Amino acid sequence: MKIIQTIEVRQIVTEKSKQALEKAFMAQKQQLMRECDQLRFEQKRLEKTGKYSSSLLKQYFAKEMDARLEKIKLLDFQLEQLHILPLGSELKEREVQALIDVQVGDNWESVMSKRAIIIEDGIVKEIR
């Protein structure tokens, strides 16, 4: 019988992977900053039309800006942590589903034990 099990995919931190993560975080941060600029522009444009209540507009746009600013703060924190992280550390990247073969007589504990796929610079190094 086959069962589906969740497997962790972990990435070993190397100089190359650190740079890739930093680049990805910076790109996300830039995108959020552009969205904030766009929100400011939209708010001013809508205020000039006079069709909507000024207080409601400010409230809506403030909420949207705050959400993005929180995400930017989180990215800044992740960037700080990334710089502290020593090379060779393992980061949980994602989870995948795998089919596991179960036979009569198998040890249930070993079948259900936590499994992981270890990746280093995009190459599978180990399957635990």
Side-chain angles (χ1 to χ4, degrees):
M1 167 190 264
K2 294 188 185 283
I3 61 172
I4 297 174
Q5 188 178 39
T6 302
I7 309 284
E8 257 186 22
V9 177
R10 296 186 195 148
Q11 178 178 339
I12 295 177
V13 177
T14 63
E15 195 61 45
K16 184 178 175 182
S17 65
K18 253 187 171 182
Q19 289 173 354
L21 282 170
E22 183 175 10
K23 188 176 179 180
F25 288 155
M26 293 302 287
Q28 289 175 12
K29 187 175 172 181
Q30 289 296 324
Q31 176 62 31
L32 288 167
M33 292 170 88
R34 281 192 299 272
E35 288 176 17
C36 286
D37 291 341
Q38 184 64 31
L39 284 169
R40 282 188 205 98
F41 174 78
E42 284 295 317
Q43 181 180 4
K44 288 179 182 177
R45 187 180 66 79
L46 289 172
E47 283 175 350
K48 287 180 183 177
T49 63
K51 292 181 182 178
Y52 304 100
S53 165
S54 180
S55 63
L56 286 175
L57 277 177
K58 285 181 183 177
Q59 185 181 10
Y60 171 76
F61 281 99
K63 186 179 109 189
E64 291 296 320
M65 292 278 287
D66 287 344
R68 283 158 180 82
L69 291 173
E70 272 304 310
K71 289 178 184 177
I72 289 172
K73 285 181 188 175
L74 177 62
L75 285 169
D76 285 338
F77 176 74
Q78 288 175 322
L79 280 166
E80 286 176 27
Q81 295 301 306
L82 182 63
H83 292 296
I84 295 170
L85 199 62
L87 297 178
S89 301
E90 289 182 10
L91 289 178
K92 180 180 174 181
E93 189 174 290
R94 70 183 89 156
E95 291 183 343
V96 294
Q97 301 291 317
L99 285 175
I100 306 295
D101 218 0
V102 179
Q103 303 293 329
V104 173
D106 286 350
N107 182 335
W108 183 248
E109 292 301 319
S110 68
V111 169
M112 294 308 295
S113 65
K114 200 75 166 160
R115 298 172 191 234
I117 298 171
I118 310 302
I119 296 175
E120 185 174 346
D121 291 333
I123 298 170
V124 176
K125 284 291 191 187
E126 184 180 348
I127 297 175
R128 296 180 188 158

